[in-house]
PDB file of all heavy atoms in Angstrom:
ATOM      1  N   VAL A   1     -91.933-156.624 -36.053  1.00 98.00           N
ATOM      2  CA  VAL A   1     -92.663-155.923 -37.103  1.00 98.00           C
ATOM      3  C   VAL A   1     -92.888-156.908 -38.255  1.00 98.00           C
ATOM      4  O   VAL A   1     -91.931-157.418 -38.837  1.00 98.00           O
ATOM      5  CB  VAL A   1     -91.890-154.695 -37.616  1.00 98.00           C
ATOM      6  CG1 VAL A   1     -92.713-153.939 -38.661  1.00 98.00           C
ATOM      7  CG2 VAL A   1     -91.518-153.782 -36.457  1.00 98.00           C
ATOM      8  N   LEU A   2     -94.142-157.196 -38.553  1.00 98.00           N
ATOM      9  CA  LEU A   2     -94.485-158.092 -39.647  1.00 98.00           C
ATOM     10  C   LEU A   2     -94.492-157.277 -40.940  1.00 98.00           C
ATOM     11  O   LEU A   2     -95.175-156.254 -41.023  1.00 98.00           O
ATOM     12  CB  LEU A   2     -95.850-158.720 -39.386  1.00 98.00           C
ATOM     13  CG  LEU A   2     -96.351-159.793 -40.353  1.00 98.00           C
ATOM     14  CD1 LEU A   2     -97.352-160.697 -39.648  1.00 98.00           C
ATOM     15  CD2 LEU A   2     -96.996-159.189 -41.592  1.00 98.00           C
ATOM     16  N   VAL A   3     -93.755-157.740 -41.947  1.00 98.00           N
ATOM     17  CA  VAL A   3     -93.594-156.986 -43.189  1.00 98.00           C
ATOM     18  C   VAL A   3     -93.891-157.883 -44.386  1.00 98.00           C
ATOM     19  O   VAL A   3     -93.274-158.934 -44.553  1.00 98.00           O
ATOM     20  CB  VAL A   3     -92.157-156.428 -43.307  1.00 98.00           C
ATOM     21  CG1 VAL A   3     -92.022-155.581 -44.565  1.00 98.00           C
ATOM     22  CG2 VAL A   3     -91.773-155.614 -42.071  1.00 98.00           C
ATOM     23  N   ALA A   4     -94.838-157.458 -45.235  1.00 98.00           N
ATOM     24  CA  ALA A   4     -95.147-158.177 -46.463  1.00 98.00           C
ATOM     25  C   ALA A   4     -95.805-157.196 -47.431  1.00 98.00           C
ATOM     26  O   ALA A   4     -96.524-156.291 -47.002  1.00 98.00           O
ATOM     27  CB  ALA A   4     -96.080-159.355 -46.195  1.00 98.00           C
ATOM     28  N   PRO A   5     -95.594-157.379 -48.732  1.00 98.00           N
ATOM     29  CA  PRO A   5     -96.222-156.467 -49.691  1.00 98.00           C
ATOM     30  C   PRO A   5     -97.714-156.715 -49.873  1.00 98.00           C
ATOM     31  O   PRO A   5     -98.465-155.794 -50.170  1.00 98.00           O
ATOM     32  CB  PRO A   5     -95.455-156.739 -50.987  1.00 98.00           C
ATOM     33  CG  PRO A   5     -94.916-158.123 -50.822  1.00 98.00           C
ATOM     34  CD  PRO A   5     -94.649-158.302 -49.368  1.00 98.00           C
ATOM     35  N   VAL A   6     -98.157-157.967 -49.682  1.00 97.00           N
ATOM     36  CA  VAL A   6     -99.558-158.319 -49.911  1.00 97.00           C
ATOM     37  C   VAL A   6     -99.946-159.444 -48.960  1.00 97.00           C
ATOM     38  O   VAL A   6     -99.132-160.318 -48.654  1.00 97.00           O
ATOM     39  CB  VAL A   6     -99.796-158.724 -51.390  1.00 97.00           C
ATOM     40  CG1 VAL A   6     -98.905-159.894 -51.803  1.00 97.00           C
ATOM     41  CG2 VAL A   6    -101.259-159.055 -51.640  1.00 97.00           C
ATOM     42  N   ALA A   7    -101.193-159.394 -48.481  1.00 97.00           N
ATOM     43  CA  ALA A   7    -101.666-160.427 -47.562  1.00 97.00           C
ATOM     44  C   ALA A   7    -103.177-160.504 -47.634  1.00 97.00           C
ATOM     45  O   ALA A   7    -103.855-159.542 -48.010  1.00 97.00           O
ATOM     46  CB  ALA A   7    -101.225-160.125 -46.134  1.00 97.00           C
ATOM     47  N   SER A   8    -103.707-161.659 -47.257  1.00 96.00           N
ATOM     48  CA  SER A   8    -105.156-161.821 -47.174  1.00 96.00           C
ATOM     49  C   SER A   8    -105.679-161.149 -45.909  1.00 96.00           C
ATOM     50  O   SER A   8    -104.944-160.969 -44.932  1.00 96.00           O
ATOM     51  CB  SER A   8    -105.523-163.307 -47.154  1.00 96.00           C
ATOM     52  OG  SER A   8    -105.098-163.907 -45.937  1.00 96.00           O
ATOM     53  N   THR A   9    -106.947-160.794 -45.917  1.00 96.00           N
ATOM     54  CA  THR A   9    -107.554-160.193 -44.724  1.00 96.00           C
ATOM     55  C   THR A   9    -107.527-161.176 -43.559  1.00 96.00           C
ATOM     56  O   THR A   9    -107.321-160.775 -42.411  1.00 96.00           O
ATOM     57  CB  THR A   9    -108.995-159.756 -45.013  1.00 96.00           C
ATOM     58  OG1 THR A   9    -109.746-160.878 -45.506  1.00 96.00           O
ATOM     59  CG2 THR A   9    -109.041-158.646 -46.049  1.00 96.00           C
ATOM     60  N   ASP A  10    -107.732-162.465 -43.836  1.00 94.00           N
ATOM     61  CA  ASP A  10    -107.714-163.474 -42.770  1.00 94.00           C
ATOM     62  C   ASP A  10    -106.333-163.570 -42.132  1.00 94.00           C
ATOM     63  O   ASP A  10    -106.206-163.697 -40.906  1.00 94.00           O
ATOM     64  CB  ASP A  10    -108.125-164.845 -43.313  1.00 94.00           C
ATOM     65  CG  ASP A  10    -109.613-164.943 -43.600  1.00 94.00           C
ATOM     66  OD1 ASP A  10    -110.371-164.056 -43.159  1.00 94.00           O
ATOM     67  OD2 ASP A  10    -110.022-165.904 -44.275  1.00 94.00           O
ATOM     68  N   ALA A  11    -105.284-163.546 -42.968  1.00 95.00           N
ATOM     69  CA  ALA A  11    -103.921-163.640 -42.430  1.00 95.00           C
ATOM     70  C   ALA A  11    -103.607-162.443 -41.540  1.00 95.00           C
ATOM     71  O   ALA A  11    -103.044-162.595 -40.449  1.00 95.00           O
ATOM     72  CB  ALA A  11    -102.908-163.735 -43.569  1.00 95.00           C
ATOM     73  N   ILE A  12    -103.977-161.262 -41.983  1.00 97.00           N
ATOM     74  CA  ILE A  12    -103.710-160.059 -41.196  1.00 97.00           C
ATOM     75  C   ILE A  12    -104.485-160.102 -39.879  1.00 97.00           C
ATOM     76  O   ILE A  12    -103.954-159.773 -38.806  1.00 97.00           O
ATOM     77  CB  ILE A  12    -104.056-158.795 -41.995  1.00 97.00           C
ATOM     78  CG1 ILE A  12    -103.088-158.617 -43.179  1.00 97.00           C
ATOM     79  CG2 ILE A  12    -104.032-157.562 -41.101  1.00 97.00           C
ATOM     80  CD1 ILE A  12    -101.654-158.380 -42.782  1.00 97.00           C
ATOM     81  N   ALA A  13    -105.747-160.527 -39.947  1.00 97.00           N
ATOM     82  CA  ALA A  13    -106.560-160.597 -38.730  1.00 97.00           C
ATOM     83  C   ALA A  13    -105.963-161.567 -37.724  1.00 97.00           C
ATOM     84  O   ALA A  13    -105.995-161.320 -36.508  1.00 97.00           O
ATOM     85  CB  ALA A  13    -107.987-161.009 -39.091  1.00 97.00           C
ATOM     86  N   MET A  14    -105.410-162.678 -38.199  1.00 95.00           N
ATOM     87  CA  MET A  14    -104.815-163.668 -37.305  1.00 95.00           C
ATOM     88  C   MET A  14    -103.497-163.179 -36.721  1.00 95.00           C
ATOM     89  O   MET A  14    -103.207-163.379 -35.537  1.00 95.00           O
ATOM     90  CB  MET A  14    -104.573-164.978 -38.053  1.00 95.00           C
ATOM     91  CG  MET A  14    -103.862-166.034 -37.218  1.00 95.00           C
ATOM     92  SD  MET A  14    -103.506-167.561 -38.114  1.00 95.00           S
ATOM     93  CE  MET A  14    -102.293-167.016 -39.308  1.00 95.00           C
ATOM     94  N   LEU A  15    -102.684-162.504 -37.541  1.00 97.00           N
ATOM     95  CA  LEU A  15    -101.321-162.185 -37.144  1.00 97.00           C
ATOM     96  C   LEU A  15    -101.188-160.865 -36.394  1.00 97.00           C
ATOM     97  O   LEU A  15    -100.285-160.716 -35.565  1.00 97.00           O
ATOM     98  CB  LEU A  15    -100.423-162.149 -38.384  1.00 97.00           C
ATOM     99  CG  LEU A  15    -100.199-163.503 -39.062  1.00 97.00           C
ATOM    100  CD1 LEU A  15     -99.643-163.309 -40.466  1.00 97.00           C
ATOM    101  CD2 LEU A  15     -99.266-164.368 -38.238  1.00 97.00           C
ATOM    102  N   ARG A  16    -102.063-159.920 -36.651  1.00 98.00           N
ATOM    103  CA  ARG A  16    -101.909-158.589 -36.062  1.00 98.00           C
ATOM    104  C   ARG A  16    -101.835-158.621 -34.533  1.00 98.00           C
ATOM    105  O   ARG A  16    -101.018-157.900 -33.940  1.00 98.00           O
ATOM    106  CB  ARG A  16    -103.036-157.667 -36.533  1.00 98.00           C
ATOM    107  CG  ARG A  16    -102.887-156.248 -36.018  1.00 98.00           C
ATOM    108  CD  ARG A  16    -103.680-155.240 -36.802  1.00 98.00           C
ATOM    109  NE  ARG A  16    -104.942-155.744 -37.294  1.00 98.00           N
ATOM    110  CZ  ARG A  16    -105.731-155.061 -38.122  1.00 98.00           C
ATOM    111  NH1 ARG A  16    -105.355-153.870 -38.545  1.00 98.00           N
ATOM    112  NH2 ARG A  16    -106.884-155.558 -38.520  1.00 98.00           N
ATOM    113  N   PRO A  17    -102.637-159.457 -33.839  1.00 98.00           N
ATOM    114  CA  PRO A  17    -102.519-159.480 -32.370  1.00 98.00           C
ATOM    115  C   PRO A  17    -101.209-160.085 -31.857  1.00 98.00           C
ATOM    116  O   PRO A  17    -100.887-159.934 -30.678  1.00 98.00           O
ATOM    117  CB  PRO A  17    -103.718-160.344 -31.936  1.00 98.00           C
ATOM    118  CG  PRO A  17    -104.643-160.374 -33.097  1.00 98.00           C
ATOM    119  CD  PRO A  17    -103.773-160.288 -34.295  1.00 98.00           C
ATOM    120  N   LEU A  18    -100.474-160.773 -32.732  1.00 97.00           N
ATOM    121  CA  LEU A  18     -99.271-161.484 -32.303  1.00 97.00           C
ATOM    122  C   LEU A  18     -97.999-160.659 -32.425  1.00 97.00           C
ATOM    123  O   LEU A  18     -96.945-161.078 -31.941  1.00 97.00           O
ATOM    124  CB  LEU A  18     -99.108-162.771 -33.124  1.00 97.00           C
ATOM    125  CG  LEU A  18    -100.304-163.720 -33.166  1.00 97.00           C
ATOM    126  CD1 LEU A  18     -99.981-164.931 -34.030  1.00 97.00           C
ATOM    127  CD2 LEU A  18    -100.708-164.150 -31.762  1.00 97.00           C
ATOM    128  N   VAL A  19     -98.081-159.508 -33.110  1.00 98.00           N
ATOM    129  CA  VAL A  19     -96.890-158.700 -33.377  1.00 98.00           C
ATOM    130  C   VAL A  19     -97.114-157.276 -32.882  1.00 98.00           C
ATOM    131  O   VAL A  19     -98.219-156.902 -32.488  1.00 98.00           O
ATOM    132  CB  VAL A  19     -96.530-158.707 -34.881  1.00 98.00           C
ATOM    133  CG1 VAL A  19     -96.215-160.121 -35.345  1.00 98.00           C
ATOM    134  CG2 VAL A  19     -97.657-158.100 -35.725  1.00 98.00           C
ATOM    135  N   ASP A  20     -96.058-156.477 -32.931  1.00 98.00           N
ATOM    136  CA  ASP A  20     -96.145-155.099 -32.455  1.00 98.00           C
ATOM    137  C   ASP A  20     -96.552-154.121 -33.550  1.00 98.00           C
ATOM    138  O   ASP A  20     -97.088-153.054 -33.258  1.00 98.00           O
ATOM    139  CB  ASP A  20     -94.789-154.687 -31.870  1.00 98.00           C
ATOM    140  CG  ASP A  20     -94.390-155.580 -30.702  1.00 98.00           C
ATOM    141  OD1 ASP A  20     -94.995-155.445 -29.627  1.00 98.00           O
ATOM    142  OD2 ASP A  20     -93.497-156.438 -30.886  1.00 98.00           O
ATOM    143  N   GLU A  21     -96.280-154.486 -34.790  1.00 98.00           N
ATOM    144  CA  GLU A  21     -96.610-153.603 -35.909  1.00 98.00           C
ATOM    145  C   GLU A  21     -96.757-154.443 -37.166  1.00 98.00           C
ATOM    146  O   GLU A  21     -96.058-155.446 -37.345  1.00 98.00           O
ATOM    147  CB  GLU A  21     -95.514-152.543 -36.104  1.00 98.00           C
ATOM    148  CG  GLU A  21     -95.804-151.548 -37.204  1.00 98.00           C
ATOM    149  CD  GLU A  21     -94.709-150.493 -37.372  1.00 98.00           C
ATOM    150  OE1 GLU A  21     -93.694-150.578 -36.647  1.00 98.00           O
ATOM    151  OE2 GLU A  21     -94.863-149.622 -38.236  1.00 98.00           O
ATOM    152  N   VAL A  22     -97.676-154.027 -38.039  1.00 98.00           N
ATOM    153  CA  VAL A  22     -97.860-154.665 -39.337  1.00 98.00           C
ATOM    154  C   VAL A  22     -97.621-153.622 -40.423  1.00 98.00           C
ATOM    155  O   VAL A  22     -98.215-152.540 -40.392  1.00 98.00           O
ATOM    156  CB  VAL A  22     -99.283-155.252 -39.493  1.00 98.00           C
ATOM    157  CG1 VAL A  22     -99.512-155.729 -40.924  1.00 98.00           C
ATOM    158  CG2 VAL A  22     -99.498-156.401 -38.523  1.00 98.00           C
ATOM    159  N   VAL A  23     -96.735-153.930 -41.377  1.00 97.00           N
ATOM    160  CA  VAL A  23     -96.513-153.086 -42.541  1.00 97.00           C
ATOM    161  C   VAL A  23     -96.840-153.921 -43.770  1.00 97.00           C
ATOM    162  O   VAL A  23     -96.061-154.791 -44.180  1.00 97.00           O
ATOM    163  CB  VAL A  23     -95.064-152.566 -42.592  1.00 97.00           C
ATOM    164  CG1 VAL A  23     -94.836-151.751 -43.860  1.00 97.00           C
ATOM    165  CG2 VAL A  23     -94.757-151.719 -41.360  1.00 97.00           C
ATOM    166  N   CYS A  24     -98.025-153.692 -44.325  1.00 97.00           N
ATOM    167  CA  CYS A  24     -98.502-154.451 -45.489  1.00 97.00           C
ATOM    168  C   CYS A  24     -99.377-153.515 -46.323  1.00 97.00           C
ATOM    169  O   CYS A  24    -100.522-153.252 -45.954  1.00 97.00           O
ATOM    170  CB  CYS A  24     -99.284-155.678 -45.038  1.00 97.00           C
ATOM    171  SG  CYS A  24     -99.850-156.711 -46.415  1.00 97.00           S
ATOM    172  N   PRO A  25     -98.848-153.002 -47.426  1.00 96.00           N
ATOM    173  CA  PRO A  25     -99.568-151.986 -48.185  1.00 96.00           C
ATOM    174  C   PRO A  25    -100.744-152.494 -49.008  1.00 96.00           C
ATOM    175  O   PRO A  25    -101.554-151.704 -49.465  1.00 96.00           O
ATOM    176  CB  PRO A  25     -98.491-151.393 -49.090  1.00 96.00           C
ATOM    177  CG  PRO A  25     -97.477-152.477 -49.240  1.00 96.00           C
ATOM    178  CD  PRO A  25     -97.485-153.222 -47.935  1.00 96.00           C
ATOM    179  N   LEU A  26    -100.852-153.804 -49.220  1.00 96.00           N
ATOM    180  CA  LEU A  26    -101.915-154.334 -50.071  1.00 96.00           C
ATOM    181  C   LEU A  26    -102.621-155.486 -49.359  1.00 96.00           C
ATOM    182  O   LEU A  26    -102.041-156.553 -49.157  1.00 96.00           O
ATOM    183  CB  LEU A  26    -101.324-154.814 -51.408  1.00 96.00           C
ATOM    184  CG  LEU A  26    -102.292-155.379 -52.445  1.00 96.00           C
ATOM    185  CD1 LEU A  26    -103.357-154.347 -52.820  1.00 96.00           C
ATOM    186  CD2 LEU A  26    -101.531-155.833 -53.688  1.00 96.00           C
ATOM    187  N   VAL A  27    -103.876-155.251 -48.966  1.00 96.00           N
ATOM    188  CA  VAL A  27    -104.693-156.282 -48.320  1.00 96.00           C
ATOM    189  C   VAL A  27    -106.016-156.353 -49.086  1.00 96.00           C
ATOM    190  O   VAL A  27    -107.001-155.719 -48.713  1.00 96.00           O
ATOM    191  CB  VAL A  27    -104.933-155.971 -46.827  1.00 96.00           C
ATOM    192  CG1 VAL A  27    -105.666-157.139 -46.154  1.00 96.00           C
ATOM    193  CG2 VAL A  27    -103.624-155.698 -46.100  1.00 96.00           C
ATOM    194  N   PRO A  28    -106.044-157.107 -50.193  1.00 95.00           N
ATOM    195  CA  PRO A  28    -107.252-157.156 -51.018  1.00 95.00           C
ATOM    196  C   PRO A  28    -108.400-157.884 -50.327  1.00 95.00           C
ATOM    197  O   PRO A  28    -108.179-158.735 -49.460  1.00 95.00           O
ATOM    198  CB  PRO A  28    -106.789-157.923 -52.263  1.00 95.00           C
ATOM    199  CG  PRO A  28    -105.622-158.728 -51.809  1.00 95.00           C
ATOM    200  CD  PRO A  28    -104.950-157.925 -50.739  1.00 95.00           C
ATOM    201  N   ASP A  29    -109.613-157.538 -50.712  1.00 93.00           N
ATOM    202  CA  ASP A  29    -110.791-158.191 -50.130  1.00 93.00           C
ATOM    203  C   ASP A  29    -110.825-159.679 -50.462  1.00 93.00           C
ATOM    204  O   ASP A  29    -111.302-160.486 -49.666  1.00 93.00           O
ATOM    205  CB  ASP A  29    -112.073-157.524 -50.647  1.00 93.00           C
ATOM    206  CG  ASP A  29    -112.232-156.106 -50.132  1.00 93.00           C
ATOM    207  OD1 ASP A  29    -111.696-155.819 -49.041  1.00 93.00           O
ATOM    208  OD2 ASP A  29    -112.855-155.283 -50.820  1.00 93.00           O
ATOM    209  N   ALA A  30    -110.333-160.035 -51.643  1.00 92.00           N
ATOM    210  CA  ALA A  30    -110.293-161.448 -52.053  1.00 92.00           C
ATOM    211  C   ALA A  30    -108.889-161.785 -52.526  1.00 92.00           C
ATOM    212  O   ALA A  30    -108.308-161.054 -53.331  1.00 92.00           O
ATOM    213  CB  ALA A  30    -111.297-161.708 -53.168  1.00 92.00           C
ATOM    214  N   LEU A  31    -108.331-162.871 -52.003  1.00 93.00           N
ATOM    215  CA  LEU A  31    -106.992-163.305 -52.385  1.00 93.00           C
ATOM    216  C   LEU A  31    -106.987-164.812 -52.458  1.00 93.00           C
ATOM    217  O   LEU A  31    -107.150-165.489 -51.435  1.00 93.00           O
ATOM    218  CB  LEU A  31    -105.962-162.803 -51.366  1.00 93.00           C
ATOM    219  CG  LEU A  31    -104.475-163.050 -51.678  1.00 93.00           C
ATOM    220  CD1 LEU A  31    -103.598-161.964 -51.060  1.00 93.00           C
ATOM    221  CD2 LEU A  31    -104.020-164.417 -51.180  1.00 93.00           C
ATOM    222  N   SER A  32    -106.811-165.342 -53.675  1.00 89.00           N
ATOM    223  CA  SER A  32    -106.770-166.800 -53.826  1.00 89.00           C
ATOM    224  C   SER A  32    -105.341-167.312 -53.866  1.00 89.00           C
ATOM    225  O   SER A  32    -105.076-168.453 -53.489  1.00 89.00           O
ATOM    226  CB  SER A  32    -107.518-167.229 -55.097  1.00 89.00           C
ATOM    227  OG  SER A  32    -106.966-166.614 -56.242  1.00 89.00           O
ATOM    228  N   SER A  33    -104.404-166.474 -54.333  1.00 92.00           N
ATOM    229  CA  SER A  33    -102.988-166.852 -54.313  1.00 92.00           C
ATOM    230  C   SER A  33    -102.145-165.585 -54.332  1.00 92.00           C
ATOM    231  O   SER A  33    -102.576-164.540 -54.845  1.00 92.00           O
ATOM    232  CB  SER A  33    -102.625-167.726 -55.520  1.00 92.00           C
ATOM    233  OG  SER A  33    -102.614-166.959 -56.711  1.00 92.00           O
ATOM    234  N   ILE A  34    -100.926-165.671 -53.763  1.00 95.00           N
ATOM    235  CA  ILE A  34    -100.034-164.520 -53.755  1.00 95.00           C
ATOM    236  C   ILE A  34     -99.581-164.172 -55.174  1.00 95.00           C
ATOM    237  O   ILE A  34     -99.498-163.005 -55.544  1.00 95.00           O
ATOM    238  CB  ILE A  34     -98.808-164.798 -52.864  1.00 95.00           C
ATOM    239  CG1 ILE A  34     -99.243-165.056 -51.412  1.00 95.00           C
ATOM    240  CG2 ILE A  34     -97.816-163.648 -52.914  1.00 95.00           C
ATOM    241  CD1 ILE A  34    -100.000-163.925 -50.786  1.00 95.00           C
ATOM    242  N   GLY A  35     -99.317-165.187 -55.974  1.00 95.00           N
ATOM    243  CA  GLY A  35     -98.796-164.964 -57.318  1.00 95.00           C
ATOM    244  C   GLY A  35     -99.688-164.103 -58.202  1.00 95.00           C
ATOM    245  O   GLY A  35     -99.197-163.425 -59.107  1.00 95.00           O
ATOM    246  N   GLU A  36    -100.996-164.102 -57.959  1.00 96.00           N
ATOM    247  CA  GLU A  36    -101.906-163.326 -58.802  1.00 96.00           C
ATOM    248  C   GLU A  36    -101.699-161.823 -58.641  1.00 96.00           C
ATOM    249  O   GLU A  36    -102.148-161.037 -59.475  1.00 96.00           O
ATOM    250  CB  GLU A  36    -103.362-163.681 -58.490  1.00 96.00           C
ATOM    251  CG  GLU A  36    -103.844-163.227 -57.125  1.00 96.00           C
ATOM    252  CD  GLU A  36    -105.284-163.628 -56.837  1.00 96.00           C
ATOM    253  OE1 GLU A  36    -106.122-163.557 -57.744  1.00 96.00           O
ATOM    254  OE2 GLU A  36    -105.548-164.032 -55.683  1.00 96.00           O
ATOM    255  N   TRP A  37    -100.997-161.411 -57.578  1.00 97.00           N
ATOM    256  CA  TRP A  37    -100.776-159.987 -57.329  1.00 97.00           C
ATOM    257  C   TRP A  37     -99.397-159.526 -57.790  1.00 97.00           C
ATOM    258  O   TRP A  37     -99.018-158.382 -57.565  1.00 97.00           O
ATOM    259  CB  TRP A  37    -100.988-159.670 -55.846  1.00 97.00           C
ATOM    260  CG  TRP A  37    -102.421-159.912 -55.476  1.00 97.00           C
ATOM    261  CD1 TRP A  37    -102.969-161.050 -54.952  1.00 97.00           C
ATOM    262  CD2 TRP A  37    -103.506-159.008 -55.677  1.00 97.00           C
ATOM    263  NE1 TRP A  37    -104.327-160.908 -54.807  1.00 97.00           N
ATOM    264  CE2 TRP A  37    -104.691-159.665 -55.236  1.00 97.00           C
ATOM    265  CE3 TRP A  37    -103.609-157.710 -56.173  1.00 97.00           C
ATOM    266  CZ2 TRP A  37    -105.944-159.056 -55.304  1.00 97.00           C
ATOM    267  CZ3 TRP A  37    -104.850-157.101 -56.223  1.00 97.00           C
ATOM    268  CH2 TRP A  37    -105.988-157.771 -55.797  1.00 97.00           C
ATOM    269  N   TYR A  38     -98.649-160.402 -58.438  1.00 98.00           N
ATOM    270  CA  TYR A  38     -97.337-160.084 -59.001  1.00 98.00           C
ATOM    271  C   TYR A  38     -97.349-160.259 -60.513  1.00 98.00           C
ATOM    272  O   TYR A  38     -97.996-161.177 -61.037  1.00 98.00           O
ATOM    273  CB  TYR A  38     -96.274-161.040 -58.454  1.00 98.00           C
ATOM    274  CG  TYR A  38     -95.729-160.738 -57.085  1.00 98.00           C
ATOM    275  CD1 TYR A  38     -96.395-161.126 -55.930  1.00 98.00           C
ATOM    276  CD2 TYR A  38     -94.499-160.096 -56.939  1.00 98.00           C
ATOM    277  CE1 TYR A  38     -95.868-160.879 -54.664  1.00 98.00           C
ATOM    278  CE2 TYR A  38     -93.957-159.853 -55.680  1.00 98.00           C
ATOM    279  CZ  TYR A  38     -94.642-160.244 -54.551  1.00 98.00           C
ATOM    280  OH  TYR A  38     -94.115-160.007 -53.297  1.00 98.00           O
ATOM    281  N   SER A  39     -96.582-159.410 -61.210  1.00 98.00           N
ATOM    282  CA  SER A  39     -96.331-159.644 -62.640  1.00 98.00           C
ATOM    283  C   SER A  39     -95.337-160.788 -62.815  1.00 98.00           C
ATOM    284  O   SER A  39     -95.503-161.649 -63.672  1.00 98.00           O
ATOM    285  CB  SER A  39     -95.770-158.378 -63.299  1.00 98.00           C
ATOM    286  OG  SER A  39     -96.731-157.353 -63.318  1.00 98.00           O
ATOM    287  N   ASP A  40     -94.288-160.777 -61.996  1.00 98.00           N
ATOM    288  CA  ASP A  40     -93.262-161.826 -62.029  1.00 98.00           C
ATOM    289  C   ASP A  40     -93.184-162.445 -60.638  1.00 98.00           C
ATOM    290  O   ASP A  40     -92.705-161.810 -59.703  1.00 98.00           O
ATOM    291  CB  ASP A  40     -91.918-161.230 -62.433  1.00 98.00           C
ATOM    292  CG  ASP A  40     -90.788-162.268 -62.447  1.00 98.00           C
ATOM    293  OD1 ASP A  40     -91.060-163.454 -62.144  1.00 98.00           O
ATOM    294  OD2 ASP A  40     -89.642-161.898 -62.738  1.00 98.00           O
ATOM    295  N   PHE A  41     -93.651-163.696 -60.523  1.00 97.00           N
ATOM    296  CA  PHE A  41     -93.606-164.405 -59.247  1.00 97.00           C
ATOM    297  C   PHE A  41     -92.903-165.741 -59.439  1.00 97.00           C
ATOM    298  O   PHE A  41     -93.281-166.749 -58.868  1.00 97.00           O
ATOM    299  CB  PHE A  41     -95.025-164.599 -58.707  1.00 97.00           C
ATOM    300  CG  PHE A  41     -95.077-164.943 -57.234  1.00 97.00           C
ATOM    301  CD1 PHE A  41     -94.626-164.056 -56.279  1.00 97.00           C
ATOM    302  CD2 PHE A  41     -95.590-166.166 -56.805  1.00 97.00           C
ATOM    303  CE1 PHE A  41     -94.681-164.363 -54.922  1.00 97.00           C
ATOM    304  CE2 PHE A  41     -95.659-166.491 -55.449  1.00 97.00           C
ATOM    305  CZ  PHE A  41     -95.207-165.585 -54.515  1.00 97.00           C
ATOM    306  N   GLY A  42     -91.845-165.701 -60.263  1.00 97.00           N
ATOM    307  CA  GLY A  42     -91.075-166.913 -60.499  1.00 97.00           C
ATOM    308  C   GLY A  42     -90.438-167.415 -59.218  1.00 97.00           C
ATOM    309  O   GLY A  42     -90.149-166.637 -58.301  1.00 97.00           O
ATOM    310  N   GLN A  43     -90.232-168.722 -59.149  1.00 96.00           N
ATOM    311  CA  GLN A  43     -89.678-169.318 -57.936  1.00 96.00           C
ATOM    312  C   GLN A  43     -88.277-168.796 -57.662  1.00 96.00           C
ATOM    313  O   GLN A  43     -87.449-168.692 -58.560  1.00 96.00           O
ATOM    314  CB  GLN A  43     -89.657-170.846 -58.060  1.00 96.00           C
ATOM    315  CG  GLN A  43     -89.280-171.552 -56.761  1.00 96.00           C
ATOM    316  CD  GLN A  43     -89.376-173.065 -56.914  1.00 96.00           C
ATOM    317  OE1 GLN A  43     -88.624-173.667 -57.662  1.00 96.00           O
ATOM    318  NE2 GLN A  43     -90.301-173.675 -56.199  1.00 96.00           N
ATOM    319  N   THR A  44     -88.004-168.468 -56.425  1.00 97.00           N
ATOM    320  CA  THR A  44     -86.661-168.072 -55.996  1.00 97.00           C
ATOM    321  C   THR A  44     -85.842-169.341 -55.764  1.00 97.00           C
ATOM    322  O   THR A  44     -86.265-170.233 -55.042  1.00 97.00           O
ATOM    323  CB  THR A  44     -86.724-167.255 -54.692  1.00 97.00           C
ATOM    324  OG1 THR A  44     -87.569-166.123 -54.885  1.00 97.00           O
ATOM    325  CG2 THR A  44     -85.340-166.784 -54.273  1.00 97.00           C
ATOM    326  N   SER A  45     -84.672-169.408 -56.389  1.00 96.00           N
ATOM    327  CA  SER A  45     -83.855-170.619 -56.293  1.00 96.00           C
ATOM    328  C   SER A  45     -82.947-170.588 -55.071  1.00 96.00           C
ATOM    329  O   SER A  45     -82.677-169.531 -54.491  1.00 96.00           O
ATOM    330  CB  SER A  45     -82.987-170.768 -57.547  1.00 96.00           C
ATOM    331  OG  SER A  45     -82.008-169.734 -57.589  1.00 96.00           O
TER     332      SER A  45
END
């Protein structure tokens, strides 16, 4: 089961045939970076 809060349409199209289920609540029409969809996207140490 592929799980992510946000993904590009291209990524989902590529990955969906490779897995049994996709859980991704936000797939915007345009996505230039993941960080733009978060208020806080500070680096995880």
Side-chain angles (χ1 to χ4, degrees):
V1 183
L2 185 155
V3 183
V6 58
S8 68
T9 55
D10 286 347
I12 292 296
M14 176 182 67
L15 292 164
R16 183 161 35 187
L18 307 179
V19 299
D20 300 287
E21 183 179 3
V22 172
V23 177
C24 182
L26 181 59
V27 186
D29 292 333
L31 186 151
S32 58
S33 72
I34 299 301
E36 69 181 320
W37 295 94
Y38 280 82
S39 293
D40 178 0
F41 197 64
Q43 188 176 66
T44 303
S45 68

